[in-house]
C-alpha cells in the first residue's frame, strides 16, 4: 500500500480539488495524509484521510478572501489586486507579477523545514504537490523526495517550452485582447520574474542541496514523474512538457452533494415560477467585485421576466440586499457544485473549478475573466463553444439578457464536452497516478 502525502496551499479553491484527489487515492487503496493549514482539517475529515498541519504560504483564503483573517500586509495586497482588476486585464496581471515573490516564495527555508519534519513523522512513499506551491516543489527537489504535481488551474501553468512564461496567457478571448503595448508589458514583467525566481531557486539549492541536480527554470519546475491536470485535454492546448506522464482528469468533482432541505425548497420555488434559473459566482476572491455582481443581477431582474438568479456575493452580500426578492437569492456563499445540477446557466469568472464544474454538469456559462489564468480558461470556453465571454469592466446591466440568451446556441457543444469530461474525473486520475507511481517505484 502506497503511503502518500497530498500537500495543499491554504486556499479553498486549491484545497478542495486536492482533497477530492486525496479521497480518490484512498478509495483506490493508498494510505493518504492531507497536509495543509489547520483551518483546512475539515477537508481531510470529509475525504476520509489523515490530516497533517503544514503552512506553506503566509496568505490564505478559507472561502471568502476578504473575510479570511490575514496579516495587514496581505490584506493590503488583496486590496491592491482588487483595485487593479477594476482598471484592466493587463493591470491585474502586472499587479500579480509585482506580488509574486510574496505570494509564492515568502519563506522557502521554513517550508523546507516543515517538509523535512513532516517526512520524518509520516515517511510517505510519494508526495502530491500543487503546481503553484513552488516553495514546496523546491523543498521536495532539494530533499530528493519523489512527488507528483497537481495543476489546479489552466494547463499552461505547467510550462510547455522555453517560450512559455508563467503569468502570460497562452491566448486571449476576443472581448479582452490587449494592445500590443500592454501585451509587451505583461511579457516583460513575466520574463523578469522568471529570471529572478530562477536565480533565487539556484541560490537556495546551492546552499541546501549542493549535490542535487540544479532546479533549472523556477516556473518550469514540476514533477519529473507525473502531472495531474484538473482540466479536459482540449486539442488546441499547449502540449505538456516532455518527461512526466500527463494525466488530464477533466474535472475534480467526486460526486456533488445533494442540496439540503432549505436550498432544495428555494430552488423548487424558483423553478416552479420561472423558466430559467441562473447561478452567479465570481470565486472566493472576486466576489469582492460587487459592482459586477450588481450589474449581473440587475440585468437579469430588469431585462428579463422569465429568469431567476442565485448569486454568491461573499462579504459583499449586504451591498446587494436591495436586489433580493422573489426572483433573486443573494447569499455570502452557495453550494455551487450541488446547484449546478439544478440551474440553466452560470455566470462565473473563468476559474478552473467553475469552468470544469459547469462542463461536467452540462451547464453553459457567461464567463467574465479578471486575472490569473482566467483569460486562458475563458478563451478555451469560447473556442470549445461552451460559453460566451465578456469584459467584466465593460458589462452593463443591459448587456446581460442578450449574453444569457446567446448561451442557447452553446447547448450541443456543452452536451458533447460534458459526456467526454464525465468519463474521467478524480477517480480516473487517482488510478492512473497510482499506476505511474508504482511503475516508477518498481524501476527504482
Amino acid at each position: 500500500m502506497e503511503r502518500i502525502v497530498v500537500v495543499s496551499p491554504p486556499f479553498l479553491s486549491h484545497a478542495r480539488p486536492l482533497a477530492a484527489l486525496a479521497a480518490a487515492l484512498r478509495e483506490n487503496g493508498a494510505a493518504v495524509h492531507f497536509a495543509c493549514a489547520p483551518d483546512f482539517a475539515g477537508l481531510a475529515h470529509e475525504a476520509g484521510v489523515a490530516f497533517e498541519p503544514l503552512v506553506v504560504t503566509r496568505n490564505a483564503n478559507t472561502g471568502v478572501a476578504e473575510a479570511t483573517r490575514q496579516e495587514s500586509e496581505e490584506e493590503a495586497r488583496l486590496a491592491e489586486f482588487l483595485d487593479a482588476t477594476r482598471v484592466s486585464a493587463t493591470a491585474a496581471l502586472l499587479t500579480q507579477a509585482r506580488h509574486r515573490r510574496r505570494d509564492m516564495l515568502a519563506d522557502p527555508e521554513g517550508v523546507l523545514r516543515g517538509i523535512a519534519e513532516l517526512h520524518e513523522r509520516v515517511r510517505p512513499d510519494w508526495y502530491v504537490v500543487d503546481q503553484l506551491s513552488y516553495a514546496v516543489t523546491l523543498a521536495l527537489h532539494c530533499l530528493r523526495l519523489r512527488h507528483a504535481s497537481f495543476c489546479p488551474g489552466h494547463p499552461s501553468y505547467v510550462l510547455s517550452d522555453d517560450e512559455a512564461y508563467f503569468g502570460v496567457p497562452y491566448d486571449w478571448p476576443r472581448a479582452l485582447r490587449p494592445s500590443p503595448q500592454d501585451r509587451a508589458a505583461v511579457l516583460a514583467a513575466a520574463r523578469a520574474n522568471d529570471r529572478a525566481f530562477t536565480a533565487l531557486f539556484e541560490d537556495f539549492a546551492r546552499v541546501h542541496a549542493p549535490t542535487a541536480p540544479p532546479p533549472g527554470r523556477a516556473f518550469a519546475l514540476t514533477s519529473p514523474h507525473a502531472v495531474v491536470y484538473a482540466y479536459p485535454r482540449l486539442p488546441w492546448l499547449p502540449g505538456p512538457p516532455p518527461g512526466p506522464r500527463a494525466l488530464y482528469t477533466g474535472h475534480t468533482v467526486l460526486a456533488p452533494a445533494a442540496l439540503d432541505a432549505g436550498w432544495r425548497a428555494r430552488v423548487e420555488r424558483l423553478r416552479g415560477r420561472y423558466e430559467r434559473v441562473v447561478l452567479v459566482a465570481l470565486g472566493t476572491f472576486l466576489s469582492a467585485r460587487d459592482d459586477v455582481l450588481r450589474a449581473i443581477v440587475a440585468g437579469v431582474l430588469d431585462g428579463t421576466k422569465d429568469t431567476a438568479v442565485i448569486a454568491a456575493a461573499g462579504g459583499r452580500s449586504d451591498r446587494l440586499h436591495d436586489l433580493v426578492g422573489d426572483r433573486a437569492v443573494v447569499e455570502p456563499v452557495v453550494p455551487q457544485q450541488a446547484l449546478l445540477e439544478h440551474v440553466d446557466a452560470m455566470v462565473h469568472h473563468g476559474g478552473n473549478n467553475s469552468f470544469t464544474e459547469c462542463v461536467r454538469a452540462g451547464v453553459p456559462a457567461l464567463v467574465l475573466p479578471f486575472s490569473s489564468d482566467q483569460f486562458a480558461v475563458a478563451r478555451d470556453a469560447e473556442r470549445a463553444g461552451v460559453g460566451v465571454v465578456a469584459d467584466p469592466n465593460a458589462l452593463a446591466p443591459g448587456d446581460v439578457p442578450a449574453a444569457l440568451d446567446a448561451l442557447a446556441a452553446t447547448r450541443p457543444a456543452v452536451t458533447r464536452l460534458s459526456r467526454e469530461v464525465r468519463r474521467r474525473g478524480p477517480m480516473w486520475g487517482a488510478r492512473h497516478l497510482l499506476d505511474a507511481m508504482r511503475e516508477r517505484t518498481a524501476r527504482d
Side-chain angles (χ1 to χ4, degrees), residues 168-192:
V168 179
Y170 90 100
D171 198 4
W172 291 82
R174 289 187 294 268
L176 289 106
R177 285 178 180 159
S179 68
Q181 294 84 358
D182 283 349
R183 287 193 190 213
V186 171
L187 180 59
R191 283 175 169 163

Side-chain angles (χ1 to χ4, degrees), residues 159-165 191 194 217 220:
L159 302 186
S160 56
D161 55 49
D162 291 343
E163 298 304 313
Y165 288 90
R191 283 175 169 163
D194 193 277
R217 279 183 75 195

Side-chain angles (χ1 to χ4, degrees), residues 66-242:
E66 286 190 308
T68 302
R69 288 192 298 174
Q70 314 212 45
E71 297 177 5
S72 59
E73 183 180 346
E74 305 302 331
E75 291 178 354
R77 289 194 306 115
L78 175 59
E80 183 184 354
F81 161 70
L82 291 171
D83 287 343
T85 68
R86 294 180 170 88
V87 177
S88 68
T90 51
L93 291 175
L94 289 169
T95 299
Q96 290 180 300
R98 286 197 303 274
H99 291 172
R100 201 131 281 153
R101 172 69 189 272
R102 292 288 299 172
D103 281 342
M104 293 183 167
L105 208 64
D107 183 21
E109 287 82 5
V111 172
L112 182 70
R113 288 193 301 273
I115 294 291
E117 292 168 2
L118 185 151
H119 193 74
E120 281 295 315
R121 191 167 61 250
V122 179
R123 290 290 176 181
D125 304 299
W126 284 86
Y127 290 84
V128 176
V129 57
D130 190 304
Q131 173 66 21
L132 301 190
S133 291
Y134 291 100
V136 179
T137 302
L138 179 59
L140 293 169
H141 173 86
C142 290
L143 294 168
R144 311 294 295 273
L145 299 175
R146 287 183 302 203
H147 63 281
S149 296
F150 174 83
C151 184
H154 193 269
S156 56
Y157 272 156
V158 182
L159 302 186
S160 56
D161 55 49
D162 291 343
E163 298 304 313
Y165 288 90
F166 182 82
V168 179
Y170 90 100
D171 198 4
W172 291 82
R174 289 187 294 268
L176 289 106
R177 285 178 180 159
S179 68
Q181 294 84 358
D182 283 349
R183 287 193 190 213
V186 171
L187 180 59
R191 283 175 169 163
N193 269 338
D194 193 277
R195 291 191 297 270
F197 269 70
T198 296
L200 288 167
F201 275 38
E202 289 175 351
D203 290 344
F204 186 89
R206 192 177 299 115
V207 171
H208 297 281
T211 62
R217 279 183 75 195
F219 294 115
L221 187 61
T222 193
S223 167
H225 310 302
V227 180
V228 178
Y229 296 89
Y231 211 78
R233 181 66 177 102
L234 301 172
W236 54 80
L237 291 174

